[in-house]
Amino acid sequence: MYRNDGFRELGRQECLRLLAKVPVGRIVHTRRALPAVLPVNFCLDGDDAVVLCTSATSELARAVDGTVVAFEADEVDAASHSGWSVVVTGPATVVTDSVEHERLVRNGPRAWVPSPRQIFVRIESELVTGRELVGGRTLYGVDLTS
């Protein structure tokens, strides 16, 4: 985070609480040595790991398994110039344990596009950062709504 840029930094627990409120985020990974960003639905597992559900044949699962990725979600109100953004950074792994997989089938995120075989990708939250802009006012007292 950049200090004094008009946003309020959020603590880890506040970030995780906000993440739990939204159904869609974006996973950031590397594809052919370039950054790639994909929107995905997700859920928090154990209150701090981000879990995605995707097809076992998806390019995403192959690209992120065993790598460090970033995951971002936000909520923005353009009319009031307010909102928040949270980024989780950590290693991503495909869930291979059958007991864990079955638990996530029952309690994890649901794929929006059905496929014959679905897998789960877990992103451990090694680094959680976030920031908020409330009501279109910066730390400097500047009104951004005019």
Side-chain angles (χ1 to χ4, degrees):
M1 295 293 124
Y2 302 103
R3 295 216 181 277
N4 298 319
D5 64 358
F7 291 87
R8 180 177 75 87
E9 288 186 38
L10 302 173
R12 180 184 178 92
Q13 291 308 311
E14 190 172 12
C15 287
L16 294 171
R17 181 184 58 75
L18 290 169
L19 273 182
K21 292 174 36 177
V22 295
V24 176
R26 286 156 291 286
I27 186 167
V28 182
H29 63 97
T30 303
R31 184 173 60 201
R32 297 186 192 127
L34 296 171
V37 181
L38 291 172
V40 293
N41 66 312
F42 74 100
C43 75
L44 288 181
D45 188 40
D47 293 334
D48 65 354
V50 173
V51 177
L52 321 172
C53 183
T54 188
S55 166
T57 61
S58 77
E59 181 181 325
L60 173 64
R62 289 187 306 276
V64 302
D65 190 26
T67 69
V68 173
V69 301
F71 177 84
E72 188 272 343
D74 54 43
E75 189 171 72
V76 176
D77 182 335
S80 67
H81 296 169
S82 63
W84 57 266
S85 173
V86 170
V87 177
V88 172
T89 305
T93 55
V94 172
V95 173
T96 57
D97 179 77
S98 60
V99 173
E100 183 71 1
H101 180 84
E102 285 307 311
R103 183 183 70 79
L104 290 170
V105 166
R106 289 188 307 276
N107 303 319
R110 303 281 179 254
W112 287 2
V113 179
S115 71
R117 190 167 152 256
Q118 297 184 343
I119 60 171
F120 296 94
V121 174
R122 175 185 307 283
I123 303 168
E124 297 300 333
S125 60
E126 286 190 2
L127 179 62
V128 179
T129 59
R131 56 193 213 156
E132 175 184 39
L133 177 63
V134 180
R137 295 195 68 82
T138 72
L139 293 176
Y140 311 110
V142 176
D143 186 351
L144 299 175
T145 59
S146 350

